[in-house]
Amino acid sequence: MVALAGASFAGEIPQAERRSGYELMSRETRAMQDDDTANPGMLAVLEGSALWARKTGAGGRACADCHGDARASMKGVAARYPAYDATLKRPVNLEQRINLCRTERQQSPALAYESRELLALTAYVARQARGVPIDIPVDARTQPFLDRGRAAFYRRQGQLNLACSQCHDDNWGRRLAGNTIPQAHPTGYPVYRLEWQSLGSLQRRLRNCLVGIRAEPYEYGAPEMVELELFLMWRARGMAIETPGVRP
Amino acid sequence: MRFAVAFVAACCAAGAASGGGANAQDSIPASLTGAKGDPARGRAIVTNRQLGLCLLCHSGPFPEERFQGNLAPDLAGAGKRWSEGQLRLRIVDSSRVNPATIMPSYHRTDGFTRVAPAWRGKPVLTADQIEDVVAFLTTLRD
């Protein structure tokens, strides 16, 4: 497929009309996200800060032993993930990056997707990018992954034969039964979702949408998932990270 | 979107040949089962959010149902706007009327991508259920 970044699709949302899911929420839910003492995601951030400093694995080292104070070293980092990993020769998302540090630097087992610890560490790191505009560098190495993510976003799939774009480009702001369809910008992840009553990763959200259209969900961490994440982050370029977001 | 339209156009040429003895026109005049459906069962299917899914997108004359969708026309009056055969075609495979539609094809099993294992090879609704839904929609006359 030809390089598509920058090409315009019929249904694509013009940059000036992009809205975070935050802006489509009720006033109460927005207030919950805005107030650190009311935002349930802040509990995970707090837990993440403790894990950041805890020594683990055969290496007996903490994240802080290599990276120091996360408020400085992790500032803005989440805004450029998924990022290309030169060794693996593919983009890795923030959860995968954290697990690479654990397995390679700390000689500690990888944390499971959606485990409390991985969500907490991810939320803590991403919190250090709150307010920072998303900036996914596109170059010859990342372009093919971005293009595949884009193709997946526009591909009809599942028994209901719907593409992500048919809801999130073409029908955002409308109601799917009781839910307002957002534009699908991944600005708040991991988010505390009121329906889940827990924190969840972006991939958990994507699996929900795939299950909703009765498509086979990709496995957590699957390359296709990371490609979709990469495309969504690129599509949200310039928008500010809100982690930990709250969503209905 | 250009890709999606091309994809659907390609898939539905095949769909038209296999869908319940339909012609390529605007209607499937004959019942899929040879029998008449039951409007009361049809109403229950239409309002069931796991089975019919209709109210995810449509609203309709269902005062007891909260949270109806607004991605699609109101179902009130559908039985006046369309004949029974036209309604049947639109439920069986509305992509034959509008290749770009977001409305699922309720009684087609081919031409899909990455269907979850639990649904693979199965239509959203059985022929009996389609007839019940059609029978109900024909009663929506105002």
Side-chain angles (χ1 to χ4, degrees), chain A residues 156-159 175 177 216, chain B residues 56 68 70 101 113-114 122:
Chain A
R156 283 176 175 249
Q157 53 181 321
Q159 191 196 39
R175 266 183 298 105
E216 183 167 17
Chain B
L56 291 182
Q68 306 185 17
N70 67 358
T101 190
T113 305
R114 304 195 63 261
K122 296 180 192 146

Side-chain angles (χ1 to χ4, degrees), chain A residues 100-215:
Chain A
L100 283 169
C101 279
R102 278 188 60 96
T103 53
E104 287 173 12
R105 308 264 169 79
Q106 297 176 302
Q107 285 107 50
S108 193
L111 297 167
Y113 256 97
E114 305 311 294
S115 65
R116 204 187 150 108
E117 286 169 295
L118 186 55
L119 286 168
L121 275 169
T122 309
Y124 179 61
V125 172
R127 168 69 183 83
Q128 314 309 323
R130 194 195 263 180
V132 175
I134 294 172
D135 181 17
I136 297 295
V138 180
D139 58 26
R141 298 176 310 176
T142 48
Q143 185 79 57
F145 298 94
L146 183 64
D147 289 345
R148 280 200 289 275
R150 179 199 299 269
F153 189 81
Y154 286 96
R155 181 184 304 134
R156 283 176 175 249
Q157 53 181 321
Q159 191 196 39
L160 303 188
N161 202 28
L162 287 165
C164 315
S165 60
Q166 291 182 300
C167 284
H168 294 296
D169 277 351
D170 303 346
N171 283 296
W172 69 268
R174 295 217 173 94
R175 266 183 298 105
L176 185 72
N179 302 317
T180 302
I181 301 178
Q183 293 181 352
H185 297 303
T187 42
Y189 288 82
V191 293
Y192 188 89
R193 190 165 178 223
L194 299 173
E195 192 182 307
W196 293 333
Q197 299 212 12
S198 70
L199 206 68
S201 71
L202 178 56
Q203 296 205 359
R204 179 169 176 194
R205 173 67 255 177
L206 303 187
R207 284 171 61 94
N208 275 198
C209 282
L210 287 163
V211 168
I213 56 179
R214 301 184 176 180

Side-chain angles (χ1 to χ4, degrees), chain B residues 97-115:
Chain B
V97 182
N98 170 15
T101 190
I102 58 169
M103 177 155 158
S105 300
Y106 277 87
H107 202 63
R108 168 158 77 87
T109 51
D110 53 351
F112 295 137
T113 305
R114 304 195 63 261
V115 176

Side-chain angles (χ1 to χ4, degrees), chain B residues 87-135:
Chain B
L87 288 168
R88 188 176 287 107
L89 174 66
R90 280 159 179 75
I91 310 303
V92 164
D93 189 359
S94 74
S95 74
R96 281 194 247 161
V97 182
N98 170 15
T101 190
I102 58 169
M103 177 155 158
S105 300
Y106 277 87
H107 202 63
R108 168 158 77 87
T109 51
D110 53 351
F112 295 137
T113 305
R114 304 195 63 261
V115 176
W119 302 105
R120 219 168 276 160
K122 296 180 192 146
V124 181
L125 294 178
T126 65
D128 285 317
Q129 290 169 330
I130 299 279
E131 290 308 321
D132 291 340
V133 169
V134 170

Side-chain angles (χ1 to χ4, degrees), chain A residues 56-63 66-67 85 87 97-108:
Chain A
T56 181
R61 278 192 293 186
C63 315
C66 288
H67 296 290
D85 182 286
T87 312
R97 165 54 61 213
I98 289 168
N99 266 332
L100 283 169
C101 279
R102 278 188 60 96
T103 53
E104 287 173 12
R105 308 264 169 79
Q106 297 176 302
Q107 285 107 50
S108 193

Side-chain angles (χ1 to χ4, degrees), chain B residues 16-58:
Chain B
S18 64
N23 52 41
Q25 306 304 307
D26 187 40
S27 158
I28 302 176
S31 163
L32 302 183
T33 60
K36 267 207 155 337
D38 172 28
R41 279 203 306 261
R43 189 184 195 280
I45 293 167
V46 167
T47 54
N48 182 320
R49 285 144 205 269
Q50 277 81 47
L51 192 53
L53 313 167
C54 314
L55 300 189
L56 291 182
C57 297
H58 290 275

